[in-house]
Amino acid sequence: MKTKYFGWAVVVVMGLIVAKTWAWQGADLSASIDRGKAVYSTTCITCHRDAGQGIPEVYPPLAKSDYLMANKTRSIGIVVNGLTGPVTVNKVKYDSEMVPVDLTDEQVADVLTFVRNSWGNKGPAVKTAEVAPTRKK
């Protein structure tokens, strides 16, 4: 018997929990990724390019990005509040500005879920509730 909870998949065999792993329900994750891809293609693609490769020496890659994947909360904050100053992504320094992006909490969650699960990245989805606390007051 497999019972799904929002955010967790619990596998029960003969009344015993044998596995508990992070998993979004398939349709929810897929829908978030689809919505995030649409946001990415209208908002992020100019600088970070169609395959998340960025622009060498100007805008960092999102594909296989150690910086992006290291801290989900930081990544949310960058999309919401922007970023100025040097960063090192995949051992390469970048020093350009990312302006804050005017997106709803759901759009931020969706676009980051898409990016965090594309181009060699694999990470937990970003939930809408995780976005609001990162907004500067």
Side-chain angles (χ1 to χ4, degrees):
M1 174 180 154
K2 187 172 184 180
T3 306
K4 282 195 173 187
Y5 297 95
F6 185 77
W8 292 96
V10 177
V11 180
V12 179
V13 176
M14 299 189 74
L16 299 172
I17 296 175
V18 294
K20 183 169 73 172
T21 58
W22 177 255
W24 281 76
Q25 292 181 359
D28 292 342
L29 178 61
S30 179
S32 179
I33 288 172
D34 288 347
R35 290 188 308 264
K37 184 175 184 178
V39 172
Y40 184 88
S41 68
T42 60
T43 306
C44 314
I45 200 166
T46 302
C47 299
H48 294 289
R49 314 310 288 161
D50 60 337
Q53 72 270 27
I55 298 175
E57 300 180 25
V58 182
Y59 298 112
L62 301 176
K64 298 180 184 174
S65 171
D66 58 353
Y67 189 83
L68 169 75
M69 300 305 292
N71 187 320
K72 181 167 58 165
T73 302
R74 176 180 65 196
S75 297
I76 295 167
I78 292 170
V79 172
V80 170
N81 302 310
L83 176 69
T84 302
V87 295
T88 301
V89 179
N90 300 340
K91 300 181 183 175
V92 177
K93 282 196 173 198
Y94 294 85
D95 192 5
S96 55
E97 180 180 11
M98 179 170 162
V99 297
V101 184
D102 186 23
L103 300 172
T104 67
D105 289 357
E106 182 181 51
Q107 288 171 318
V108 171
D110 289 342
V111 75
L112 282 171
T113 296
F114 166 70
V115 169
R116 291 172 54 82
N117 287 281
S118 299
W119 317 303
N121 298 325
K122 185 69 178 150
V126 175
K127 296 180 229 156
T128 303
E130 294 175 290
V131 178
T134 66
R135 293 191 184 275
K136 288 183 181 174
K137 304 283 178 190

